[in-house]
Structure formats: structure tokens, C-alpha cells
Coordinates of all heavy atoms in Angstrom, one line a residue:
M85 N 87.6 4.0 61.7 CA 88.1 5.0 60.8 C 89.6 5.2 60.9 O 90.1 5.4 62.0 CB 87.3 6.3 61.1 CG 87.8 7.5 60.2 SD 86.5 7.8 59.0 CE 85.5 9.0 59.8
G86 N 90.3 5.2 59.8 CA 91.7 5.4 59.7 C 91.9 6.7 59.1 O 91.3 7.6 58.9
S87 N 93.2 6.8 58.3 CA 93.5 8.1 57.7 C 94.6 7.7 56.7 O 95.3 6.7 56.7 CB 94.1 9.1 58.7 OG 95.3 8.6 59.3
I88 N 94.7 8.7 55.7 CA 95.7 8.6 54.7 C 96.4 9.9 54.6 O 95.8 10.9 55.0 CB 95.1 8.2 53.3 CG1 94.1 9.4 52.7 CG2 94.4 6.9 53.2 CD1 93.6 9.1 51.4
I89 N 97.6 9.9 54.2 CA 98.4 11.1 54.1 C 98.5 11.5 52.6 O 99.0 10.7 51.8 CB 99.7 11.0 54.6 CG1 99.7 10.3 56.1 CG2 100.5 12.3 54.7 CD1 99.3 11.2 57.1
V90 N 98.2 12.6 52.3 CA 98.2 13.1 50.8 C 99.1 14.4 50.7 O 98.7 15.4 51.4 CB 96.8 13.3 50.2 CG1 96.9 13.8 48.8 CG2 96.0 12.1 50.4
L91 N 100.1 14.4 49.9 CA 100.8 15.6 49.5 C 100.2 16.3 48.3 O 100.1 15.5 47.4 CB 102.3 15.3 49.3 CG 103.2 15.4 50.6 CD1 103.3 14.1 51.2 CD2 104.6 15.9 50.1
D92 N 99.9 17.5 48.4 CA 99.3 18.1 47.2 C 100.4 18.7 46.4 O 101.5 18.4 46.6 CB 98.4 19.3 47.6 CG 99.0 20.5 48.4 OD1 100.2 20.6 48.3 OD2 98.3 21.2 49.1
R93 N 100.1 19.4 45.2 CA 101.0 19.7 44.3 C 101.9 20.8 44.7 O 103.0 21.2 44.2 CB 100.3 20.0 43.0 CG 99.6 18.9 42.3 CD 99.1 19.1 41.0 NE 98.3 18.0 40.5 CZ 97.0 17.9 40.7 NH1 96.3 19.1 41.1 NH2 96.3 16.9 40.4
E94 N 101.6 21.4 45.9 CA 102.5 22.4 46.4 C 103.4 21.8 47.5 O 104.1 22.5 48.1 CB 101.6 23.6 47.1 CG 101.2 24.7 46.1 CD 99.9 24.1 45.3 OE1 99.0 23.8 45.9 OE2 100.0 24.2 44.0
G95 N 103.3 20.5 47.7 CA 104.0 19.8 48.7 C 103.5 19.9 50.2 O 104.2 19.6 51.0
K96 N 102.4 20.4 50.2 CA 101.7 20.4 51.6 C 101.1 19.1 51.9 O 100.4 18.6 51.1 CB 100.7 21.6 51.5 CG 100.1 21.9 53.0 CD 99.4 23.3 52.9 CE 98.7 23.6 54.2 NZ 97.3 23.4 54.2
E97 N 101.3 18.8 53.2 CA 100.8 17.5 53.6 C 99.3 17.6 54.3 O 99.1 18.6 55.1 CB 101.8 16.9 54.6 CG 101.6 15.4 55.0 CD 102.7 14.9 55.7 OE1 103.9 14.9 55.2 OE2 102.5 14.5 57.0
H98 N 98.6 16.7 53.9 CA 97.1 16.7 54.4 C 96.8 15.4 55.0 O 97.1 14.3 54.3 CB 96.1 16.9 53.3 CG 96.2 18.1 52.5 ND1 95.6 19.4 52.9 CD2 97.1 18.5 51.5 CE1 96.0 20.2 52.1 NE2 96.9 19.8 51.2
K99 N 96.4 15.2 56.2 CA 95.9 13.9 56.8 C 94.4 13.9 56.7 O 93.7 14.7 57.2 CB 96.4 13.9 58.3 CG 96.2 12.6 58.9 CD 96.7 12.5 60.4 CE 96.5 11.1 60.9 NZ 96.8 11.2 62.3
L100 N 94.0 12.9 55.9 CA 92.5 12.8 55.6 C 91.9 11.6 56.4 O 92.5 10.5 56.4 CB 92.4 12.6 54.2 CG 93.0 13.7 53.3 CD1 92.7 13.3 51.8 CD2 92.7 15.1 53.5
N101 N 90.8 11.8 57.0 CA 90.0 10.7 57.5 C 89.6 9.7 56.4 O 89.3 10.2 55.3 CB 88.8 11.2 58.2 CG 89.2 11.9 59.5 OD1 90.2 11.6 60.1 ND2 88.2 12.7 59.9
A102 N 89.8 8.5 56.6 CA 89.5 7.5 55.6 C 88.5 6.4 56.1 O 88.7 5.8 57.3 CB 90.8 6.9 55.1
Q103 N 87.4 6.0 55.3 CA 86.5 5.1 55.7 C 86.5 3.9 54.8 O 86.6 4.2 53.6 CB 85.2 5.8 55.7 CG 84.2 5.3 56.6 CD 82.8 6.1 56.4 OE1 82.8 7.2 56.0 NE2 81.7 5.3 56.5
S104 N 86.5 2.8 55.3 CA 86.6 1.5 54.5 C 85.3 1.6 53.5 O 84.2 2.0 53.8 CB 86.4 0.3 55.3 OG 87.4 0.2 56.2
G105 N 85.6 1.0 52.3 CA 84.6 1.1 51.2 C 84.6 2.1 50.3 O 84.1 2.1 49.3
L106 N 85.2 3.3 50.8 CA 85.4 4.3 49.8 C 86.7 4.2 49.0 O 87.7 3.5 49.5 CB 85.5 5.8 50.6 CG 84.3 6.3 51.1 CD1 84.6 7.5 52.0 CD2 83.2 6.5 50.3
T107 N 86.8 4.7 47.8 CA 88.0 4.7 47.2 C 89.0 5.8 47.6 O 88.4 6.8 48.2 CB 87.9 4.7 45.6 OG1 87.4 5.9 45.3 CG2 86.9 3.7 45.1
I108 N 90.2 5.7 47.4 CA 91.2 6.6 47.8 C 90.8 8.0 47.0 O 90.9 9.1 47.6 CB 92.6 6.3 47.4 CG1 93.0 4.9 48.2 CG2 93.6 7.4 47.6 CD1 93.0 5.2 49.7
M109 N 90.4 7.8 45.7 CA 89.9 9.1 45.0 C 88.9 9.8 45.6 O 89.0 11.0 45.8 CB 89.6 8.8 43.5 CG 89.1 9.7 42.6 SD 87.3 10.2 42.9 CE 86.6 9.0 41.8
E110 N 87.8 9.0 46.1 CA 86.7 9.7 46.7 C 87.1 10.4 48.1 O 86.6 11.4 48.4 CB 85.7 8.6 47.1 CG 84.9 8.1 45.7 CD 84.2 6.9 46.0 OE1 84.5 6.0 46.8 OE2 83.1 6.7 45.5
I111 N 88.1 9.8 48.8 CA 88.5 10.4 50.0 C 89.2 11.6 49.7 O 88.8 12.6 50.5 CB 89.5 9.4 50.8 CG1 88.6 8.2 51.2 CG2 90.0 10.0 52.0 CD1 89.5 7.0 51.7
I112 N 90.0 11.7 48.8 CA 90.8 12.9 48.4 C 89.8 13.9 47.9 O 89.8 15.1 48.3 CB 91.9 12.6 47.3 CG1 93.0 11.6 47.9 CG2 92.5 13.8 46.9 CD1 93.9 11.1 46.9
R113 N 88.9 13.7 46.9 CA 88.0 14.5 46.3 C 87.1 15.1 47.5 O 86.8 16.3 47.5 CB 87.1 13.8 45.4 CG 86.2 14.6 44.5 CD 85.3 13.9 43.6 NE 84.4 13.0 44.6 CZ 83.6 12.0 44.1 NH1 83.6 11.8 42.8 NH2 83.0 11.2 45.0
D114 N 86.5 14.3 48.3 CA 85.6 14.7 49.3 C 86.2 15.6 50.4 O 85.5 16.4 51.0 CB 85.0 13.5 49.9 CG 84.0 12.7 49.1 OD1 83.9 13.2 47.9 OD2 83.5 11.7 49.5
A115 N 87.6 15.5 50.4 CA 88.3 16.4 51.4 C 88.6 17.7 50.7 O 89.1 18.6 51.4 CB 89.6 15.8 51.8
G116 N 88.2 17.8 49.5 CA 88.3 19.1 48.7 C 89.7 19.4 48.2 O 90.0 20.5 47.7
L117 N 90.5 18.3 48.2 CA 91.9 18.6 47.5 C 91.7 18.6 46.0 O 90.7 18.1 45.4 CB 92.7 17.4 47.9 CG 93.2 17.4 49.4 CD1 94.3 16.5 49.5 CD2 93.6 18.8 49.8
D118 N 92.7 19.1 45.3 CA 92.6 19.4 43.8 C 92.8 18.1 43.1 O 94.0 17.9 42.6 CB 93.7 20.4 43.4 CG 93.4 21.0 42.1 OD1 92.4 20.5 41.5 OD2 94.4 21.4 41.6
I119 N 91.9 17.2 43.0 CA 92.0 16.0 42.2 C 90.9 16.1 41.1 O 89.8 16.3 41.5 CB 92.0 14.7 42.9 CG1 92.4 13.6 42.2 CG2 90.6 14.5 43.6 CD1 92.8 12.2 43.0
E120 N 91.1 15.9 39.9 CA 90.2 16.1 38.9 C 89.2 14.9 38.8 O 88.0 15.2 38.8 CB 90.7 16.5 37.5 CG 89.8 16.9 36.5 CD 90.3 17.1 35.0 OE1 91.6 17.1 35.0 OE2 89.5 17.2 34.2
A121 N 89.6 13.8 38.7 CA 88.8 12.5 38.7 C 87.6 12.8 37.6 O 86.5 12.5 37.9 CB 88.3 12.1 40.1
A122 N 88.0 13.1 36.4 CA 87.1 13.4 35.4 C 86.1 12.5 35.1 O 84.9 12.8 34.9 CB 87.9 14.0 34.2
C123 N 86.4 11.2 35.2 CA 85.4 10.2 34.7 C 84.7 9.7 36.1 O 83.8 8.7 35.8 CB 86.1 9.0 34.1 SG 87.0 7.9 35.3
G124 N 84.9 10.2 37.1 CA 84.1 9.8 38.3 C 84.4 8.5 38.9 O 83.6 7.9 39.6
G125 N 85.5 7.9 38.5 CA 86.0 6.7 39.1 C 85.8 5.4 38.2 O 85.9 4.3 38.7
C126 N 85.5 5.7 36.9 CA 85.3 4.5 36.0 C 86.6 3.9 35.3 O 86.5 3.3 34.4 CB 84.3 5.0 34.9 SG 82.9 5.7 35.4
C127 N 87.7 4.3 35.8 CA 89.0 4.1 35.2 C 89.0 4.3 33.7 O 89.5 3.6 32.9 CB 89.2 2.5 35.4 SG 90.9 2.0 35.3
A128 N 88.7 5.6 33.4 CA 88.7 6.0 32.0 C 89.3 7.4 31.7 O 89.2 7.8 30.7 CB 87.2 6.0 31.6
C129 N 90.1 8.0 32.7 CA 90.6 9.3 32.5 C 92.1 9.4 33.0 O 92.7 10.3 32.5 CB 89.7 10.3 33.2 SG 89.8 10.4 35.0
A130 N 92.3 8.7 33.9 CA 93.8 8.8 34.6 C 94.0 10.2 35.3 O 95.1 10.5 35.6 CB 94.9 8.5 33.6
T131 N 93.0 11.0 35.5 CA 93.2 12.3 36.2 C 93.1 12.1 37.8 O 93.0 13.0 38.6 CB 92.2 13.3 35.8 OG1 90.8 12.9 36.0 CG2 92.4 13.7 34.3
C132 N 93.1 10.8 38.2 CA 93.2 10.6 39.6 C 94.4 9.9 40.0 O 94.6 9.3 41.0 CB 92.0 9.8 40.0 SG 92.2 8.0 39.2
H133 N 95.4 10.1 39.1 CA 96.8 9.6 39.3 C 97.6 10.0 40.5 O 97.5 11.2 40.8 CB 97.6 9.9 38.0 CG 98.9 9.4 37.9 ND1 99.7 9.9 36.9 CD2 99.6 8.6 38.6 CE1 100.9 9.3 37.0 NE2 100.9 8.4 38.1
V134 N 98.1 9.0 41.3 CA 98.9 9.5 42.5 C 100.0 8.5 42.5 O 100.2 7.5 41.9 CB 98.1 9.1 43.8 CG1 96.8 10.1 44.0 CG2 97.6 7.7 43.9
Y135 N 101.1 9.1 43.2 CA 102.3 8.3 43.4 C 102.3 8.0 44.9 O 102.4 8.8 45.7 CB 103.6 9.2 43.2 CG 103.7 9.9 41.9 CD1 103.8 11.3 41.8 CD2 103.7 9.1 40.7 CE1 103.8 11.9 40.6 CE2 103.7 9.8 39.5 CZ 103.8 11.2 39.4 OH 103.9 11.9 38.2
L136 N 102.3 6.6 45.1 CA 102.4 6.1 46.5 C 103.9 6.2 47.0 O 104.8 6.1 46.2 CB 102.0 4.7 46.6 CG 100.5 4.4 46.6 CD1 99.7 4.9 47.7 CD2 99.8 4.7 45.2
D137 N 104.1 6.3 48.3 CA 105.5 6.0 48.7 C 105.7 4.4 48.7 O 104.8 3.7 48.6 CB 105.8 6.7 50.0 CG 105.3 5.9 51.3 OD1 104.7 4.8 51.1 OD2 105.4 6.5 52.4
K138 N 106.9 4.0 48.8 CA 107.2 2.6 48.5 C 106.5 1.6 49.4 O 106.0 0.7 48.8 CB 108.9 2.6 48.6 CG 109.3 1.4 47.9 CD 110.9 1.5 48.0 CE 111.4 0.1 47.5 NZ 112.8 -0.1 48.2
D139 N 106.6 2.0 50.7 CA 106.0 1.0 51.7 C 104.4 1.0 51.5 O 103.9 -0.1 51.5 CB 106.3 1.4 53.1 CG 107.7 1.3 53.4 OD1 108.5 0.5 52.7 OD2 108.2 2.0 54.3
S140 N 103.9 2.1 51.2 CA 102.5 2.2 51.0 C 102.1 1.3 49.7 O 101.1 0.5 49.7 CB 102.0 3.5 50.8 OG 102.3 4.3 51.9
F141 N 102.9 1.5 48.7 CA 102.6 0.8 47.4 C 102.6 -0.6 47.6 O 101.7 -1.4 47.1 CB 103.8 1.2 46.4 CG 103.4 0.7 45.0 CD1 102.7 1.5 44.1 CD2 103.9 -0.5 44.6 CE1 102.4 1.0 42.8 CE2 103.7 -1.0 43.3 CZ 102.8 -0.2 42.5
S142 N 103.5 -1.2 48.4 CA 103.6 -2.6 48.6 C 102.4 -3.2 49.4 O 102.1 -4.3 49.4 CB 104.9 -2.9 49.3 OG 104.9 -2.6 50.7
L143 N 101.5 -2.4 49.9 CA 100.4 -2.9 50.8 C 99.2 -3.0 49.8 O 98.1 -3.6 50.2 CB 100.0 -1.8 51.8 CG 101.0 -1.7 53.0 CD1 100.5 -0.5 53.9 CD2 101.1 -3.0 53.7
L144 N 99.3 -2.5 48.6 CA 98.1 -2.4 47.7 C 97.9 -3.8 47.0 O 98.8 -4.4 46.7 CB 98.3 -1.3 46.8 CG 98.4 0.1 47.3 CD1 98.6 1.1 46.2 CD2 97.3 0.5 48.2
K145 N 96.6 -4.2 46.7 CA 96.3 -5.2 45.8 C 96.9 -4.8 44.4 O 97.0 -3.7 44.1 CB 94.8 -5.3 45.7 CG 94.1 -5.8 47.0 CD 92.8 -6.2 46.7 CE 92.1 -6.7 48.1 NZ 90.8 -5.8 48.2
S146 N 97.3 -5.9 43.7 CA 97.8 -5.6 42.4 C 96.8 -5.0 41.4 O 95.6 -5.1 41.6 CB 98.5 -6.8 41.9 OG 97.7 -7.9 42.0
M147 N 97.3 -4.5 40.3 CA 96.5 -3.8 39.4 C 95.6 -4.7 38.5 O 96.2 -5.7 38.2 CB 97.3 -2.9 38.5 CG 97.7 -1.7 39.0 SD 98.4 -0.6 37.7 CE 100.1 -0.5 38.2
Q148 N 94.5 -4.3 38.2 CA 93.8 -4.9 37.2 C 94.1 -4.6 35.9 O 94.7 -3.4 35.7 CB 92.1 -4.6 37.4 CG 91.7 -5.1 38.8 CD 91.6 -6.6 38.9 OE1 91.1 -7.3 38.2 NE2 92.1 -7.1 40.1
D149 N 93.8 -5.3 34.8 CA 94.2 -4.9 33.4 C 93.7 -3.5 33.0 O 94.5 -2.8 32.3 CB 93.7 -5.9 32.5 CG 94.3 -7.3 32.7 OD1 95.4 -7.4 33.3 OD2 93.8 -8.2 31.9
D150 N 92.5 -3.2 33.4 CA 92.0 -1.9 32.9 C 92.7 -0.6 33.5 O 93.1 0.4 32.9 CB 90.5 -1.7 33.1 CG 90.1 -2.1 34.4 OD1 90.8 -2.6 35.4 OD2 88.8 -1.8 34.8
E151 N 93.2 -0.8 34.9 CA 94.0 0.3 35.5 C 95.3 0.3 34.8 O 95.9 1.4 34.5 CB 94.2 0.0 36.9 CG 95.0 1.1 37.6 CD 95.2 0.9 39.2 OE1 94.6 0.0 39.7 OE2 95.9 1.8 39.7
E152 N 95.9 -0.9 34.5 CA 97.2 -0.9 33.9 C 97.2 -0.3 32.5 O 98.1 0.5 32.1 CB 97.8 -2.3 33.8 CG 99.1 -2.5 34.0 CD 99.5 -4.0 34.1 OE1 99.0 -4.7 35.2 OE2 100.2 -4.5 33.3
S153 N 96.3 -0.5 31.7 CA 96.3 0.0 30.4 C 96.0 1.5 30.4 O 96.3 2.3 29.5 CB 95.3 -0.8 29.4 OG 94.0 -0.7 29.8
M154 N 95.1 1.9 31.4 CA 94.8 3.4 31.5 C 96.2 4.1 31.9 O 96.5 5.2 31.4 CB 93.7 3.6 32.4 CG 93.1 5.0 32.5 SD 92.8 5.8 31.0 CE 91.5 4.7 30.3
L155 N 96.8 3.6 32.8 CA 98.1 4.1 33.3 C 99.2 4.2 32.2 O 100.0 5.1 32.1 CB 98.8 3.4 34.5 CG 98.4 3.9 35.8 CD1 99.0 3.0 36.9 CD2 98.8 5.4 36.1
D156 N 99.1 3.2 31.3 CA 100.0 3.2 30.2 C 99.8 4.4 29.3 O 100.8 4.9 28.7 CB 99.7 2.0 29.3 CG 100.5 0.7 29.7 OD1 101.4 0.9 30.5 OD2 100.1 -0.4 29.2
Q157 N 98.7 5.0 29.3 CA 98.5 6.1 28.5 C 98.6 7.5 29.2 O 98.4 8.6 28.7 CB 97.0 6.1 28.0 CG 96.7 5.0 27.2 CD 95.2 4.8 26.9 OE1 94.5 5.7 26.5 NE2 94.7 3.5 27.1
A158 N 98.9 7.3 30.5 CA 99.0 8.5 31.4 C 100.4 9.2 31.3 O 101.4 8.5 30.8 CB 98.7 8.2 32.8
F159 N 100.5 10.4 31.6 CA 101.8 11.1 31.7 C 102.5 10.8 33.0 O 101.9 10.7 34.0 CB 101.6 12.6 31.4 CG 101.0 12.9 30.0 CD1 99.7 13.3 30.0 CD2 101.8 12.7 28.9 CE1 99.0 13.6 28.6 CE2 101.3 13.0 27.7 CZ 99.9 13.4 27.6
S160 N 103.8 11.1 33.0 CA 104.6 11.1 34.2 C 104.4 10.0 35.1 O 104.3 10.2 36.3 CB 104.3 12.4 35.0 OG 104.2 13.6 34.2
V161 N 104.2 8.8 34.5 CA 104.1 7.6 35.4 C 105.4 7.1 35.9 O 106.4 7.2 35.3 CB 103.4 6.5 34.4 CG1 103.4 5.1 35.2 CG2 102.1 6.9 34.0
N162 N 105.4 6.7 37.2 CA 106.6 6.1 37.8 C 106.3 4.6 38.3 O 105.1 4.2 38.2 CB 107.3 7.0 38.7 CG 106.6 7.1 40.0 OD1 105.7 6.3 40.4 ND2 106.9 8.2 40.8
N163 N 107.3 4.1 39.0 CA 107.1 2.7 39.5 C 106.0 2.5 40.5 O 105.5 1.5 40.9 CB 108.2 2.1 40.0 CG 109.3 1.8 39.0 OD1 109.0 1.7 37.7 ND2 110.6 1.7 39.2
Y164 N 105.6 3.8 41.2 CA 104.7 3.8 42.3 C 103.4 4.4 41.9 O 102.8 4.9 42.8 CB 105.4 4.3 43.6 CG 106.7 3.6 43.8 CD1 107.9 4.2 43.6 CD2 106.6 2.3 44.3 CE1 109.0 3.5 43.8 CE2 107.7 1.6 44.7 CZ 109.0 2.1 44.4 OH 110.1 1.5 44.5
S165 N 103.1 4.5 40.6 CA 101.9 5.1 40.1 C 100.7 4.3 40.3 O 100.9 3.0 40.1 CB 102.1 5.5 38.7 OG 102.9 6.6 38.5
R166 N 99.6 4.9 40.7 CA 98.3 4.1 40.8 C 97.2 5.1 40.4 O 97.4 6.3 40.6 CB 98.0 3.4 42.1 CG 99.0 2.3 42.4 CD 98.8 1.1 41.6 NE 97.5 0.5 41.6 CZ 97.1 -0.6 42.3 NH1 98.0 -1.3 43.0 NH2 95.9 -1.0 42.3
L167 N 96.1 4.5 40.0 CA 95.0 5.4 39.8 C 94.0 5.2 41.1 O 93.7 4.1 41.4 CB 94.1 4.9 38.6 CG 94.8 5.0 37.2 CD1 93.9 4.5 36.1 CD2 95.3 6.5 37.1
S168 N 93.9 6.4 41.8 CA 93.4 6.4 43.1 C 91.9 5.9 43.2 O 91.4 5.3 44.2 CB 93.5 7.7 43.8 OG 92.9 8.7 43.2
C169 N 91.2 6.0 42.0 CA 89.9 5.5 41.9 C 89.7 3.9 42.0 O 88.7 3.4 42.2 CB 89.1 6.1 40.8 SG 89.5 5.4 39.2
Q170 N 90.9 3.3 41.8 CA 90.9 1.9 41.7 C 91.4 1.2 43.0 O 91.6 0.0 43.0 CB 91.8 1.4 40.5 CG 91.1 1.9 39.1 CD 89.8 1.4 38.9 OE1 89.5 0.3 39.0 NE2 88.8 2.4 38.7
I171 N 91.6 2.1 44.0 CA 92.1 1.6 45.2 C 91.0 1.8 46.3 O 90.7 2.9 46.6 CB 93.4 2.2 45.8 CG1 94.5 2.3 44.7 CG2 93.9 1.7 47.0 CD1 95.6 3.3 44.9
E172 N 90.5 0.7 46.8 CA 89.5 0.8 47.9 C 90.2 0.8 49.2 O 91.0 0.0 49.5 CB 88.6 -0.4 47.7 CG 87.3 -0.2 48.5 CD 86.2 -1.2 48.3 OE1 85.8 -1.4 47.2 OE2 85.8 -1.9 49.3
Y173 N 89.8 1.8 49.9 CA 90.3 1.9 51.3 C 90.0 0.7 52.1 O 88.8 0.3 52.3 CB 90.0 3.3 51.9 CG 90.7 3.4 53.3 CD1 92.0 3.7 53.4 CD2 90.0 3.1 54.5 CE1 92.6 3.7 54.6 CE2 90.6 3.1 55.8 CZ 91.9 3.4 55.8 OH 92.6 3.4 57.0
E174 N 90.8 0.2 52.9 CA 90.6 -0.9 53.9 C 91.5 -0.6 55.1 O 92.5 0.1 55.0 CB 90.7 -2.3 53.5 CG 91.9 -2.5 52.7 CD 92.0 -3.9 51.9 OE1 91.6 -4.9 52.5 OE2 92.6 -3.9 50.8
E175 N 91.2 -1.2 56.2 CA 91.9 -0.9 57.4 C 93.5 -1.1 57.4 O 94.1 -0.3 57.9 CB 91.4 -1.9 58.5 CG 90.9 -1.0 59.8 CD 90.0 -1.8 60.7 OE1 90.4 -2.7 61.3 OE2 88.7 -1.6 60.5
K176 N 93.8 -2.1 56.6 CA 95.3 -2.3 56.6 C 96.0 -1.3 55.9 O 97.2 -1.1 55.8 CB 95.6 -3.7 55.9 CG 95.3 -3.8 54.5 CD 95.9 -5.0 53.8 CE 95.8 -4.9 52.3 NZ 96.2 -5.9 51.6
L177 N 95.2 -0.3 55.2 CA 95.9 0.7 54.4 C 96.1 2.0 55.3 O 96.5 3.0 54.9 CB 95.0 1.1 53.1 CG 95.1 0.0 52.1 CD1 94.3 0.5 50.9 CD2 96.4 -0.5 51.8
D178 N 95.7 1.9 56.6 CA 95.7 3.0 57.6 C 97.2 3.7 57.5 O 98.1 3.0 57.6 CB 95.4 2.6 59.0 CG 95.3 3.7 59.8 OD1 95.0 4.9 59.3 OD2 95.3 3.5 61.1
G179 N 97.2 5.0 57.2 CA 98.4 5.7 57.2 C 99.2 5.8 55.9 O 100.4 6.3 55.9
I180 N 98.6 5.2 54.8 CA 99.4 5.1 53.6 C 99.6 6.6 53.1 O 98.8 7.4 53.4 CB 98.8 4.3 52.4 CG1 97.4 4.8 52.1 CG2 98.9 2.8 52.8 CD1 96.7 4.1 50.9
K181 N 100.7 6.8 52.5 CA 101.1 8.1 51.9 C 101.3 8.1 50.5 O 101.7 7.2 49.8 CB 102.6 8.3 52.6 CG 102.8 9.7 52.8 CD 104.1 9.8 53.7 CE 104.6 11.3 53.7 NZ 105.7 11.5 54.5
M182 N 100.8 9.3 50.0 CA 100.9 9.5 48.5 C 100.9 10.9 48.1 O 100.7 11.8 48.8 CB 99.6 8.8 47.8 CG 98.4 9.6 48.1 SD 97.0 8.6 47.9 CE 97.1 7.6 49.4
T183 N 101.3 11.3 46.8 CA 101.5 12.4 46.4 C 100.6 12.6 45.1 O 100.5 11.6 44.3 CB 102.9 12.7 45.8 OG1 103.7 12.5 47.0 CG2 103.1 14.2 45.4
L184 N 99.9 13.7 44.9 CA 99.2 13.9 43.7 C 100.0 14.1 42.5 O 101.0 14.8 42.6 CB 98.2 15.2 43.9 CG 97.2 15.1 45.0 CD1 96.4 16.5 45.0 CD2 96.2 14.0 44.9
A185 N 99.8 13.3 41.4 CA 100.5 13.5 40.2 C 100.1 15.0 39.5 O 99.0 15.4 39.8 CB 100.2 12.4 39.2
P186 N 101.1 15.4 38.7 CA 100.8 16.7 38.0 C 99.6 16.5 37.2 O 99.3 15.4 36.8 CB 102.1 16.9 37.3 CG 103.1 15.9 37.5 CD 102.4 15.0 38.5
E187 N 99.0 17.7 37.0 CA 97.8 17.6 36.1 C 98.1 17.2 34.6 O 99.1 17.6 34.1 CB 97.0 18.9 36.1 CG 96.2 19.0 37.4 CD 95.5 20.4 37.6 OE1 96.2 21.4 37.8 OE2 94.3 20.5 37.5
Ligands
FES253 S1 88.7 9.0 38.2 FE1 89.0 8.6 36.1 S2 90.5 7.0 36.1 FE2 90.2 7.4 38.1

């Protein structure tokens, strides 16, 4: 078991236990943080949008087309934006850091 670091919208840092096989969205949601994830992880809502820090971003697998086109329609996207439901946690991601995007 590893962990991820998530900054909430108030700037408060949370260290969450992370288990391989779960998506980042599921880890954040199950910890009770405020992430809407309206579509439940189907890559259809963009309400699981997070900003990775630069080093963390570089560890992720590249985006699939459906994530890219959903992010195209999302607000406040930056170079380190990802949809957290499309990132599956694995051991090499231990310690990655991200911020919840505004609602
Ligand atoms: S939860 Fe809807 S796109 Fe991720």
C-alpha cells in the first residue's frame, strides 16, 4: 500500500492511502474529499479533474483519446490536468501529488 497527496480546494493537504487497482478518483472519493465524479468514472463528466504537480504528471501513462476529448471540454484546464478516474494507481505512483480542480 502506498499513498497519494491531495490538496483540497482550501489548500489543505491530505495524505491518502492508495491501493493498486483503484483509480485516483476512487481513492479521493472513498477518503471523503469533495470530488463530484458525477459519471462514476466513465470518462463522461470531467468533474474528477485534478492538477498534478510536474514530477507526478511525468510518471503517468499518456492519455487515451476519450480522456483528451473530455478534458478539451472542461474548464480551467492546464498543462498538468488529468481526469483522475482515468488514472489507475500502481506502485510507481507512490507519493504523487495533485490539487483538486475548481468545481
Ligand atoms: S468521474 Fe466522470 S470523467 Fe471522471
Side-chain angles (χ1 to χ4, degrees):
M85 182 105 89
S87 60
I88 62 172
I89 312 284
V90 180
L91 267 90
D92 67 21
R93 297 190 188 94
E94 280 77 55
K96 189 162 177 257
E97 194 171 293
H98 303 264
K99 187 174 181 190
L100 311 179
N101 289 333
Q103 207 183 328
S104 299
L106 290 177
T107 66
I108 300 296
M109 178 278 277
E110 290 168 323
I111 293 166
I112 297 172
R113 184 194 60 192
D114 294 353
L117 295 192
D118 188 19
I119 190 165
E120 190 182 346
C123 77
C126 307
C127 201
C129 70
T131 60
C132 64
H133 181 191
V134 294
Y135 306 121
L136 281 300
D137 79 5
K138 200 173 165 208
D139 293 339
S140 304
F141 188 86
S142 66
L143 295 173
L144 304 180
K145 293 191 183 124
S146 46
M147 276 193 251
Q148 302 289 313
D149 291 349
D150 49 352
E151 181 180 356
E152 216 168 298
S153 59
M154 190 48 59
L155 264 180
D156 273 348
Q157 302 165 45
F159 296 106
S160 315
V161 172
N162 72 19
N163 288 342
Y164 304 107
S165 287
R166 292 292 301 255
L167 295 180
S168 59
C169 73
Q170 299 302 304
I171 307 167
E172 192 172 308
Y173 181 78
E174 51 188 318
E175 234 159 75
K176 72 167 188 181
L177 301 183
D178 189 18
I180 57 169
K181 204 169 169 180
M182 70 204 72
T183 304
L184 298 181
E187 285 178 287

